[in-house]
């Protein structure tokens, strides 16, 4: 008892018209996970679905399986058959060549066969059975959002941060048999109702929503603390697949979506991350510190020096311009020289050697003028100028 394959999906449009009656998925939104099988009159009526079959197949029923769907047959809520290869099939109970399972091969083949062995009918199934289609394409527009702040340790900020987040994710049913037996309420398997993830009255979908929200903090923490991603939360909004893997891993760790329900998260789109006030202040401080480090910090310093040179030039500070033109390291040396005792050695740095000849006597008034120009240019502080004044004038 099982299915005989009549034609492949690539040529189904033509050969399907030769069948007077066949079963197809009912019309359903893209967010539907389980869709009942309905009877469709072909020829001129191809594409017009009815609910005449009520999801029942019998010996001789012909079934068309579109790409992106899997057919599951059940009796007394026990699995009797599974087909995921697109094309046309005839259900038969008296052909020795019929098969209970068509999967398309590959890794899916082994997963589905294991699930089929776990949940298949134990006895000899009858010829009148329920049939449902399972959507195995990515199921979009599953929304999530936090009603209050969630908190996680953020390596970039180096502190605990809090934020509200909202977005959407796409689901994929990777194991239809486990999905039907481990998650979908039994009422959807025989009632002809569509199991829609977007249905607000669907308690099962609401549970998924709560579990995703409950895994967000752990996913944010793992993603932002991954050195390979540069520890930046900002990258999440441009990395749908990367963050989806992180979030899916946490959901699996906490709630066993894939192993117990046959589900996984394929992609995630973060619409907004709204930090609380404390986290905003921390983030602002870290951004400023980051901006002043490395090459960017050197650039800012050069701009500051340039502004000081411009101010000194407008005040006629030729001596200060000369000192500033030496660069910041040289300025430090010049300032150290200005503070040497009259007649002492002029040095550059702590380990400087004494000059081979004694320096000429310094003019305290000239030195004080130089210090005043440096003060006006913002190179020295008022305290440093006052100290030099006291030194050179002896007051």
């Amino acid at each position: 008892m099982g299915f005989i394959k009549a034609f492949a999906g690539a040529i189904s449009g033509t050969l399907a018209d030769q069948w007077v009656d066949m079963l197809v998925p009912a019309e359903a939104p893209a967010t539907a996970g389980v869709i009942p099988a309905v009877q469709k009159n072909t020829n001129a009526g191809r594409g017009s679905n009815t609910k005449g079959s009520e999801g029942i197949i019998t010996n001789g029923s012909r079934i068309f399986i579109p790409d992106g769907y899997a057919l599951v047959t059940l009796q007394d809520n026990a699995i009797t058959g599974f087909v995921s290869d697109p094309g046309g099939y005839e259900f038969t109970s008296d052909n020795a060549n019929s098969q209970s399972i068509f999967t398309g091969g590959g890794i899916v083949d082994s997963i589905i066969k294991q699930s089929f062995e776990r949940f298949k009918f134990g006895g000899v199934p009858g010829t009148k059975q329920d049939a449902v289609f399972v959507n195995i394409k990515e199921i979009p527009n599953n929304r999530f959002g936090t009603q209050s702040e969630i908190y996680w340790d953020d390596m970039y900020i180096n502190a605990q941060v809090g934020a509200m987040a909202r977005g959407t994710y796409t689901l994929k049913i990777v194991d239809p048999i486990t999905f039907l037996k481990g998650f979908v309420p039994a009422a959807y398997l025989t009632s002809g109702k569509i199991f829609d993830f977007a249905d607000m009255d669907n308690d099962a979908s609401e549970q998924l929503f709560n579990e995703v929200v409950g895994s967000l903090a752990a996913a944010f923490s793992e993603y932002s603390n991954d050195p390979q991603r540069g520890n930046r939360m900002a990258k999440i909004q441009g990395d749908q697949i990367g963050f989806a893997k992180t979030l899916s891993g946490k959901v699996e760790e906490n709630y066993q979506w894939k192993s117990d329900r046959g589900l996984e998260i394929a992609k995630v789109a973060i619409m907004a991350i709204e930090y609380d006030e404390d986290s905003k202040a921390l983030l602002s401080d870290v951004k400023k510190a980051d901006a002043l480090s490395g090459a960017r910090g050197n650039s800012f310093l050069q701009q500051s020096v340039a502004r000081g040179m411009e101010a000194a030039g407008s005040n006629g500070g030729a001596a200060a311009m000369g000192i500033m033109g030496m660069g910041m390291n040289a300025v430090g040396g010049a300032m150290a020289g200005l503070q040497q005792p009259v007649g002492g050695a002029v040095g550059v740095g702590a380990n400087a050697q004494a000059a081979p000849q004694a320096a000429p006597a310094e003019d305290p008034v000239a030195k004080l003028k130089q210090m005043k120009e440096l003060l006006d240019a913002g190179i020295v502080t008022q305290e440093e100028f006052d100290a030099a004044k006291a030194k050179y004038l002896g007051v």
Side-chain angles (χ1 to χ4, degrees), residues 136-196:
I136 56 177
K137 296 177 289 187
E138 282 191 24
I139 300 173
N141 204 33
N142 299 278
R143 300 181 181 275
F144 66 86
T146 60
Q147 296 181 349
S148 59
E149 288 84 1
I150 56 175
Y151 294 88
W152 68 93
D153 294 326
D154 192 290
M155 186 175 291
Y156 172 54
I157 299 180
N158 197 27
Q160 186 183 73
V161 299
M164 297 176 64
R166 64 179 186 274
T168 62
Y169 63 94
T170 63
L171 272 177
K172 192 168 180 63
I173 301 171
V174 294
D175 186 347
I177 294 177
T178 299
F179 172 66
L180 291 177
K181 299 301 295 183
F183 187 68
V184 178
Y188 287 94
L189 305 182
T190 58
S191 65
K193 293 175 58 178
I194 294 174
F195 181 93
D196 188 354

Short mmCIF file of all heavy atoms in Angstrom, two decimals, residues 136-196:
data_model
loop_
_atom_site.label_atom_id
_atom_site.label_comp_id
_atom_site.label_asym_id
_atom_site.label_seq_id
_atom_site.Cartn_x
_atom_site.Cartn_y
_atom_site.Cartn_z
N ILE A 136 6.96 23.19 2.99
CA ILE A 136 8.38 23.03 3.30
C ILE A 136 9.22 24.17 2.72
O ILE A 136 10.45 24.08 2.68
CB ILE A 136 8.91 21.66 2.84
CG1 ILE A 136 8.67 21.43 1.35
CG2 ILE A 136 8.29 20.54 3.66
CD1 ILE A 136 9.25 20.11 0.84
N LYS A 137 8.56 25.24 2.25
CA LYS A 137 9.28 26.44 1.84
C LYS A 137 9.54 27.30 3.08
O LYS A 137 9.02 27.03 4.16
CB LYS A 137 8.45 27.21 0.82
CG LYS A 137 8.23 26.47 -0.50
CD LYS A 137 7.35 27.25 -1.45
CE LYS A 137 5.90 27.29 -0.98
NZ LYS A 137 5.01 27.91 -2.00
N GLU A 138 10.34 28.36 2.91
CA GLU A 138 10.51 29.29 4.01
C GLU A 138 9.18 30.00 4.28
O GLU A 138 8.52 30.48 3.37
CB GLU A 138 11.59 30.33 3.70
CG GLU A 138 13.00 29.81 3.85
CD GLU A 138 14.05 30.91 3.80
OE1 GLU A 138 13.70 32.07 4.10
OE2 GLU A 138 15.19 30.62 3.44
N ILE A 139 8.79 30.03 5.52
CA ILE A 139 7.51 30.64 5.92
C ILE A 139 7.81 32.01 6.50
O ILE A 139 8.45 32.13 7.55
CB ILE A 139 6.79 29.74 6.94
CG1 ILE A 139 6.52 28.37 6.30
CG2 ILE A 139 5.51 30.39 7.42
CD1 ILE A 139 5.96 27.35 7.26
N PRO A 140 7.38 33.09 5.82
CA PRO A 140 7.81 34.44 6.19
C PRO A 140 6.92 35.11 7.24
O PRO A 140 5.90 34.57 7.66
CB PRO A 140 7.70 35.19 4.86
CG PRO A 140 6.50 34.54 4.20
CD PRO A 140 6.55 33.08 4.60
N ASN A 141 7.36 36.30 7.62
CA ASN A 141 6.54 37.24 8.38
C ASN A 141 6.11 36.74 9.75
O ASN A 141 5.00 36.99 10.21
CB ASN A 141 5.30 37.64 7.56
CG ASN A 141 4.74 38.98 8.00
OD1 ASN A 141 5.49 39.87 8.40
ND2 ASN A 141 3.43 39.13 7.92
N ASN A 142 7.01 36.02 10.42
CA ASN A 142 6.76 35.65 11.80
C ASN A 142 7.36 36.75 12.68
O ASN A 142 8.57 36.92 12.74
CB ASN A 142 7.43 34.30 12.12
CG ASN A 142 6.87 33.19 11.26
OD1 ASN A 142 5.83 32.63 11.55
ND2 ASN A 142 7.58 32.85 10.19
N ARG A 143 6.50 37.49 13.33
CA ARG A 143 6.94 38.68 14.05
C ARG A 143 7.33 38.37 15.50
O ARG A 143 6.82 37.43 16.10
CB ARG A 143 5.84 39.75 14.04
CG ARG A 143 5.44 40.18 12.63
CD ARG A 143 4.37 41.26 12.65
NE ARG A 143 4.00 41.63 11.29
CZ ARG A 143 4.64 42.53 10.57
NH1 ARG A 143 5.69 43.15 11.07
NH2 ARG A 143 4.25 42.82 9.34
N PHE A 144 8.26 39.17 16.01
CA PHE A 144 8.61 39.09 17.43
C PHE A 144 8.88 40.50 17.93
O PHE A 144 9.19 41.42 17.15
CB PHE A 144 9.82 38.19 17.66
CG PHE A 144 11.10 38.71 17.07
CD1 PHE A 144 11.90 39.60 17.78
CD2 PHE A 144 11.51 38.32 15.81
CE1 PHE A 144 13.08 40.09 17.24
CE2 PHE A 144 12.69 38.80 15.26
CZ PHE A 144 13.48 39.69 15.98
N GLY A 145 8.77 40.69 19.23
CA GLY A 145 9.05 41.98 19.83
C GLY A 145 9.00 41.87 21.33
O GLY A 145 8.23 41.08 21.88
N THR A 146 9.84 42.64 21.99
CA THR A 146 9.87 42.63 23.46
C THR A 146 9.00 43.76 23.99
O THR A 146 9.00 44.87 23.44
CB THR A 146 11.30 42.79 23.97
OG1 THR A 146 11.84 44.04 23.50
CG2 THR A 146 12.18 41.66 23.45
N GLN A 147 8.27 43.50 25.05
CA GLN A 147 7.41 44.51 25.66
C GLN A 147 8.17 45.36 26.68
O GLN A 147 7.69 46.42 27.06
CB GLN A 147 6.22 43.83 26.33
CG GLN A 147 5.30 43.12 25.34
CD GLN A 147 4.11 42.49 26.02
OE1 GLN A 147 4.04 42.39 27.24
NE2 GLN A 147 3.15 42.03 25.23
N SER A 148 9.33 44.90 27.11
CA SER A 148 10.18 45.67 28.01
C SER A 148 11.63 45.35 27.66
O SER A 148 11.90 44.50 26.80
CB SER A 148 9.89 45.31 29.48
OG SER A 148 10.10 43.93 29.70
N GLU A 149 12.56 46.03 28.33
CA GLU A 149 13.97 45.83 28.01
C GLU A 149 14.44 44.42 28.38
O GLU A 149 14.00 43.85 29.38
CB GLU A 149 14.85 46.85 28.75
CG GLU A 149 14.77 48.27 28.23
CD GLU A 149 13.59 49.03 28.81
OE1 GLU A 149 12.86 48.44 29.64
OE2 GLU A 149 13.39 50.21 28.46
N ILE A 150 15.29 43.89 27.53
CA ILE A 150 16.02 42.66 27.86
C ILE A 150 17.48 43.05 28.05
O ILE A 150 17.94 44.06 27.52
CB ILE A 150 15.87 41.60 26.75
CG1 ILE A 150 16.34 42.15 25.40
CG2 ILE A 150 14.45 41.11 26.67
CD1 ILE A 150 16.34 41.11 24.29
N TYR A 151 18.22 42.28 28.84
CA TYR A 151 19.57 42.66 29.22
C TYR A 151 20.56 41.56 28.87
O TYR A 151 20.24 40.37 28.96
CB TYR A 151 19.63 42.96 30.72
CG TYR A 151 18.82 44.18 31.10
CD1 TYR A 151 17.46 44.06 31.42
CD2 TYR A 151 19.40 45.44 31.13
CE1 TYR A 151 16.71 45.19 31.74
CE2 TYR A 151 18.66 46.56 31.47
CZ TYR A 151 17.32 46.43 31.76
OH TYR A 151 16.58 47.54 32.08
N TRP A 152 21.75 41.99 28.46
CA TRP A 152 22.81 41.04 28.15
C TRP A 152 24.16 41.73 28.36
O TRP A 152 24.25 42.95 28.39
CB TRP A 152 22.69 40.50 26.73
CG TRP A 152 22.95 41.52 25.65
CD1 TRP A 152 24.13 41.79 25.03
CD2 TRP A 152 21.99 42.42 25.07
NE1 TRP A 152 23.97 42.80 24.11
CE2 TRP A 152 22.66 43.19 24.11
CE3 TRP A 152 20.62 42.64 25.28
CZ2 TRP A 152 22.03 44.17 23.35
CZ3 TRP A 152 19.99 43.61 24.53
CH2 TRP A 152 20.68 44.36 23.57
N ASP A 153 25.22 40.94 28.52
CA ASP A 153 26.58 41.46 28.65
C ASP A 153 27.13 41.74 27.27
O ASP A 153 27.17 40.84 26.42
CB ASP A 153 27.48 40.47 29.41
CG ASP A 153 27.04 40.30 30.86
OD1 ASP A 153 26.56 41.29 31.42
OD2 ASP A 153 27.17 39.19 31.39
N ASP A 154 27.58 42.96 27.03
CA ASP A 154 28.04 43.38 25.72
C ASP A 154 29.54 43.68 25.78
O ASP A 154 29.98 44.55 26.52
CB ASP A 154 27.27 44.63 25.27
CG ASP A 154 27.50 44.94 23.80
OD1 ASP A 154 28.63 45.34 23.46
OD2 ASP A 154 26.56 44.77 23.01
N MET A 155 30.33 42.95 24.99
CA MET A 155 31.78 43.10 25.05
C MET A 155 32.24 44.43 24.45
O MET A 155 33.24 44.99 24.88
CB MET A 155 32.46 41.94 24.32
CG MET A 155 33.97 41.91 24.44
SD MET A 155 34.70 40.45 23.68
CE MET A 155 34.13 39.18 24.80
N TYR A 156 31.52 44.95 23.48
CA TYR A 156 31.90 46.22 22.86
C TYR A 156 31.80 47.36 23.88
O TYR A 156 32.71 48.17 24.03
CB TYR A 156 31.02 46.50 21.65
CG TYR A 156 31.19 47.86 21.04
CD1 TYR A 156 32.45 48.33 20.66
CD2 TYR A 156 30.10 48.70 20.84
CE1 TYR A 156 32.61 49.58 20.10
CE2 TYR A 156 30.25 49.96 20.28
CZ TYR A 156 31.50 50.39 19.91
OH TYR A 156 31.66 51.63 19.35
N ILE A 157 30.68 47.42 24.58
CA ILE A 157 30.50 48.45 25.60
C ILE A 157 31.22 48.06 26.90
O ILE A 157 31.52 48.89 27.73
CB ILE A 157 29.00 48.69 25.86
CG1 ILE A 157 28.33 49.17 24.56
CG2 ILE A 157 28.76 49.71 26.95
CD1 ILE A 157 26.84 49.43 24.70
N ASN A 158 31.48 46.76 27.05
CA ASN A 158 32.13 46.23 28.25
C ASN A 158 31.28 46.45 29.49
O ASN A 158 31.76 46.85 30.54
CB ASN A 158 33.53 46.83 28.45
CG ASN A 158 34.37 46.02 29.42
OD1 ASN A 158 34.17 44.82 29.56
ND2 ASN A 158 35.30 46.67 30.09
N ALA A 159 29.99 46.20 29.33
CA ALA A 159 29.05 46.37 30.44
C ALA A 159 27.75 45.66 30.07
O ALA A 159 27.56 45.23 28.92
CB ALA A 159 28.78 47.84 30.73
N GLN A 160 26.87 45.55 31.05
CA GLN A 160 25.54 45.01 30.76
C GLN A 160 24.70 46.10 30.13
O GLN A 160 24.68 47.24 30.60
CB GLN A 160 24.88 44.52 32.04
CG GLN A 160 23.55 43.81 31.79
CD GLN A 160 22.87 43.39 33.08
OE1 GLN A 160 22.34 44.21 33.82
NE2 GLN A 160 22.89 42.10 33.35
N VAL A 161 24.03 45.77 29.04
CA VAL A 161 23.19 46.75 28.36
C VAL A 161 21.75 46.23 28.31
O VAL A 161 21.51 45.03 28.41
CB VAL A 161 23.69 47.05 26.93
CG1 VAL A 161 25.09 47.60 26.96
CG2 VAL A 161 23.64 45.79 26.07
N GLY A 162 20.82 47.17 28.14
CA GLY A 162 19.41 46.81 28.04
C GLY A 162 18.79 47.48 26.84
O GLY A 162 19.12 48.61 26.48
N ALA A 163 17.87 46.77 26.18
CA ALA A 163 17.22 47.33 25.00
C ALA A 163 15.92 46.59 24.73
O ALA A 163 15.73 45.45 25.17
CB ALA A 163 18.13 47.23 23.78
N MET A 164 15.05 47.26 24.00
CA MET A 164 13.87 46.63 23.44
C MET A 164 14.15 46.35 21.97
O MET A 164 14.84 47.13 21.30
CB MET A 164 12.64 47.53 23.59
CG MET A 164 12.25 47.81 25.03
SD MET A 164 10.87 48.98 25.20
CE MET A 164 9.55 48.03 24.43
N ALA A 165 13.64 45.23 21.45
CA ALA A 165 13.93 44.86 20.07
C ALA A 165 12.66 44.32 19.42
O ALA A 165 11.80 43.74 20.08
CB ALA A 165 15.03 43.80 20.01
N ARG A 166 12.59 44.52 18.11
CA ARG A 166 11.47 43.95 17.36
C ARG A 166 11.96 43.63 15.94
O ARG A 166 12.91 44.23 15.44
CB ARG A 166 10.27 44.89 17.31
CG ARG A 166 10.50 46.19 16.59
CD ARG A 166 9.24 47.05 16.58
NE ARG A 166 9.38 48.25 15.79
CZ ARG A 166 9.89 49.39 16.22
NH1 ARG A 166 10.33 49.47 17.47
NH2 ARG A 166 9.99 50.44 15.44
N GLY A 167 11.28 42.67 15.32
CA GLY A 167 11.67 42.27 13.97
C GLY A 167 10.82 41.11 13.49
O GLY A 167 9.75 40.82 14.04
N THR A 168 11.29 40.45 12.45
CA THR A 168 10.60 39.29 11.88
C THR A 168 11.61 38.19 11.60
O THR A 168 12.82 38.45 11.50
CB THR A 168 9.87 39.65 10.57
OG1 THR A 168 10.84 40.07 9.60
CG2 THR A 168 8.84 40.75 10.78
N TYR A 169 11.11 36.97 11.46
CA TYR A 169 11.98 35.85 11.08
C TYR A 169 11.22 34.92 10.14
O TYR A 169 9.98 34.93 10.11
CB TYR A 169 12.49 35.10 12.31
CG TYR A 169 11.42 34.42 13.15
CD1 TYR A 169 11.08 33.09 12.94
CD2 TYR A 169 10.76 35.11 14.17
CE1 TYR A 169 10.10 32.47 13.72
CE2 TYR A 169 9.79 34.50 14.95
CZ TYR A 169 9.47 33.18 14.71
OH TYR A 169 8.50 32.56 15.47
N THR A 170 11.96 34.17 9.36
CA THR A 170 11.36 33.15 8.51
C THR A 170 11.61 31.78 9.13
O THR A 170 12.69 31.51 9.65
CB THR A 170 11.93 33.18 7.08
OG1 THR A 170 13.33 32.86 7.11
CG2 THR A 170 11.74 34.54 6.45
N LEU A 171 10.58 30.96 9.08
CA LEU A 171 10.64 29.58 9.59
C LEU A 171 10.82 28.61 8.44
O LEU A 171 10.43 28.88 7.31
CB LEU A 171 9.34 29.23 10.30
CG LEU A 171 9.17 29.54 11.77
CD1 LEU A 171 7.77 29.16 12.21
CD2 LEU A 171 10.19 28.77 12.59
N LYS A 172 11.38 27.46 8.75
CA LYS A 172 11.42 26.37 7.78
C LYS A 172 11.09 25.07 8.49
O LYS A 172 11.66 24.78 9.55
CB LYS A 172 12.79 26.28 7.10
CG LYS A 172 12.80 25.37 5.88
CD LYS A 172 14.06 25.54 5.09
CE LYS A 172 14.08 24.63 3.87
NZ LYS A 172 13.02 24.94 2.90
N ILE A 173 10.14 24.32 7.91
CA ILE A 173 9.80 23.01 8.45
C ILE A 173 10.75 22.00 7.80
O ILE A 173 10.60 21.65 6.63
CB ILE A 173 8.33 22.65 8.15
CG1 ILE A 173 7.41 23.71 8.77
CG2 ILE A 173 7.99 21.26 8.69
CD1 ILE A 173 5.95 23.56 8.35
N VAL A 174 11.77 21.59 8.54
CA VAL A 174 12.81 20.73 7.97
C VAL A 174 12.48 19.25 8.13
O VAL A 174 13.08 18.41 7.46
CB VAL A 174 14.18 21.04 8.63
CG1 VAL A 174 14.63 22.45 8.25
CG2 VAL A 174 14.11 20.90 10.15
N ASP A 175 11.54 18.93 8.99
CA ASP A 175 11.13 17.54 9.18
C ASP A 175 9.61 17.52 9.34
O ASP A 175 9.09 17.64 10.45
CB ASP A 175 11.81 16.94 10.41
CG ASP A 175 11.53 15.45 10.59
OD1 ASP A 175 10.62 14.93 9.91
OD2 ASP A 175 12.22 14.81 11.41
N PRO A 176 8.87 17.41 8.23
CA PRO A 176 7.41 17.50 8.30
C PRO A 176 6.76 16.47 9.20
O PRO A 176 5.75 16.77 9.86
CB PRO A 176 6.97 17.31 6.84
CG PRO A 176 8.16 17.73 6.03
CD PRO A 176 9.34 17.32 6.82
N ILE A 177 7.30 15.26 9.25
CA ILE A 177 6.69 14.21 10.08
C ILE A 177 6.81 14.57 11.56
O ILE A 177 5.84 14.49 12.32
CB ILE A 177 7.33 12.85 9.78
CG1 ILE A 177 7.01 12.42 8.34
CG2 ILE A 177 6.85 11.79 10.76
CD1 ILE A 177 7.65 11.12 7.91
N THR A 178 8.03 14.95 11.98
CA THR A 178 8.22 15.36 13.37
C THR A 178 7.40 16.59 13.69
O THR A 178 6.85 16.73 14.79
CB THR A 178 9.71 15.63 13.64
OG1 THR A 178 10.46 14.43 13.41
CG2 THR A 178 9.94 16.10 15.06
N PHE A 179 7.27 17.51 12.72
CA PHE A 179 6.46 18.72 12.92
C PHE A 179 5.00 18.35 13.21
O PHE A 179 4.39 18.86 14.14
CB PHE A 179 6.57 19.61 11.68
CG PHE A 179 5.64 20.79 11.68
CD1 PHE A 179 5.79 21.81 12.60
CD2 PHE A 179 4.63 20.88 10.74
CE1 PHE A 179 4.93 22.91 12.59
CE2 PHE A 179 3.78 21.97 10.72
CZ PHE A 179 3.93 22.98 11.65
N LEU A 180 4.43 17.45 12.40
CA LEU A 180 3.03 17.06 12.59
C LEU A 180 2.82 16.32 13.91
O LEU A 180 1.85 16.56 14.62
CB LEU A 180 2.56 16.19 11.43
CG LEU A 180 2.40 16.87 10.07
CD1 LEU A 180 1.99 15.84 9.02
CD2 LEU A 180 1.39 18.00 10.14
N LYS A 181 3.72 15.42 14.22
CA LYS A 181 3.54 14.59 15.42
C LYS A 181 3.99 15.28 16.70
O LYS A 181 3.48 14.99 17.77
CB LYS A 181 4.29 13.27 15.25
CG LYS A 181 3.80 12.44 14.07
CD LYS A 181 2.33 12.09 14.17
CE LYS A 181 2.04 11.18 15.35
NZ LYS A 181 0.62 10.78 15.42
N GLY A 182 4.94 16.20 16.61
CA GLY A 182 5.50 16.80 17.82
C GLY A 182 5.01 18.18 18.14
O GLY A 182 5.29 18.68 19.24
N PHE A 183 4.27 18.82 17.20
CA PHE A 183 3.90 20.21 17.47
C PHE A 183 2.47 20.56 17.08
O PHE A 183 1.78 21.26 17.81
CB PHE A 183 4.87 21.14 16.74
CG PHE A 183 4.67 22.59 17.09
CD1 PHE A 183 4.95 23.07 18.36
CD2 PHE A 183 4.19 23.48 16.14
CE1 PHE A 183 4.76 24.40 18.68
CE2 PHE A 183 4.00 24.81 16.45
CZ PHE A 183 4.29 25.28 17.73
N VAL A 184 2.00 20.12 15.91
CA VAL A 184 0.69 20.54 15.41
C VAL A 184 -0.41 19.84 16.21
O VAL A 184 -0.39 18.61 16.35
CB VAL A 184 0.55 20.21 13.92
CG1 VAL A 184 -0.84 20.59 13.41
CG2 VAL A 184 1.62 20.94 13.12
N PRO A 185 -1.39 20.58 16.73
CA PRO A 185 -2.52 19.95 17.42
C PRO A 185 -3.25 18.97 16.50
O PRO A 185 -3.40 19.23 15.29
CB PRO A 185 -3.41 21.13 17.80
CG PRO A 185 -2.47 22.29 17.87
CD PRO A 185 -1.46 22.06 16.81
N ALA A 186 -3.72 17.87 17.04
CA ALA A 186 -4.35 16.82 16.24
C ALA A 186 -5.56 17.30 15.48
O ALA A 186 -5.89 16.78 14.41
CB ALA A 186 -4.72 15.64 17.14
N ALA A 187 -6.24 18.32 16.00
CA ALA A 187 -7.45 18.81 15.34
C ALA A 187 -7.18 19.30 13.93
O ALA A 187 -8.05 19.23 13.06
CB ALA A 187 -8.07 19.93 16.18
N TYR A 188 -5.97 19.80 13.66
CA TYR A 188 -5.65 20.31 12.33
C TYR A 188 -5.42 19.18 11.32
O TYR A 188 -5.40 19.43 10.12
CB TYR A 188 -4.40 21.19 12.39
CG TYR A 188 -4.64 22.53 13.03
CD1 TYR A 188 -4.41 22.72 14.38
CD2 TYR A 188 -5.10 23.61 12.29
CE1 TYR A 188 -4.63 23.96 14.98
CE2 TYR A 188 -5.32 24.85 12.88
CZ TYR A 188 -5.08 25.01 14.22
OH TYR A 188 -5.31 26.23 14.81
N LEU A 189 -5.24 17.96 11.77
CA LEU A 189 -4.93 16.86 10.86
C LEU A 189 -6.17 16.24 10.25
O LEU A 189 -6.09 15.57 9.22
CB LEU A 189 -4.12 15.79 11.61
CG LEU A 189 -2.84 16.27 12.30
CD1 LEU A 189 -2.13 15.10 12.96
CD2 LEU A 189 -1.93 16.98 11.32
N THR A 190 -7.32 16.44 10.85
CA THR A 190 -8.53 15.79 10.35
C THR A 190 -9.70 16.74 10.12
O THR A 190 -10.70 16.35 9.53
CB THR A 190 -9.00 14.71 11.36
OG1 THR A 190 -9.22 15.32 12.64
CG2 THR A 190 -7.94 13.62 11.50
N SER A 191 -9.56 17.98 10.53
CA SER A 191 -10.71 18.90 10.47
C SER A 191 -10.79 19.69 9.17
O SER A 191 -11.78 20.36 8.92
CB SER A 191 -10.65 19.88 11.64
OG SER A 191 -9.51 20.71 11.51
N GLY A 192 -9.76 19.62 8.35
CA GLY A 192 -9.74 20.44 7.15
C GLY A 192 -9.36 21.87 7.41
O GLY A 192 -9.45 22.72 6.51
N LYS A 193 -8.91 22.21 8.62
CA LYS A 193 -8.50 23.57 8.95
C LYS A 193 -7.04 23.80 8.52
O LYS A 193 -6.22 22.88 8.52
CB LYS A 193 -8.63 23.82 10.45
CG LYS A 193 -10.05 23.84 10.97
CD LYS A 193 -10.06 23.98 12.48
CE LYS A 193 -9.34 25.23 12.94
NZ LYS A 193 -9.39 25.38 14.42
N ILE A 194 -6.73 25.04 8.19
CA ILE A 194 -5.36 25.43 7.84
C ILE A 194 -4.62 25.84 9.12
O ILE A 194 -5.12 26.64 9.91
CB ILE A 194 -5.36 26.59 6.83
CG1 ILE A 194 -5.96 26.14 5.50
CG2 ILE A 194 -3.95 27.14 6.63
CD1 ILE A 194 -6.12 27.26 4.50
N PHE A 195 -3.45 25.27 9.31
CA PHE A 195 -2.59 25.67 10.42
C PHE A 195 -1.75 26.84 9.95
O PHE A 195 -0.80 26.68 9.17
CB PHE A 195 -1.70 24.50 10.86
CG PHE A 195 -0.79 24.81 12.02
CD1 PHE A 195 -1.18 24.54 13.32
CD2 PHE A 195 0.46 25.38 11.81
CE1 PHE A 195 -0.34 24.82 14.40
CE2 PHE A 195 1.30 25.67 12.88
CZ PHE A 195 0.90 25.39 14.18
N ASP A 196 -2.10 28.04 10.40
CA ASP A 196 -1.46 29.26 9.93
C ASP A 196 -0.63 29.86 11.07
O ASP A 196 -1.15 30.18 12.14
CB ASP A 196 -2.53 30.26 9.48
CG ASP A 196 -1.95 31.48 8.79
OD1 ASP A 196 -0.71 31.62 8.77
OD2 ASP A 196 -2.73 32.30 8.28
#
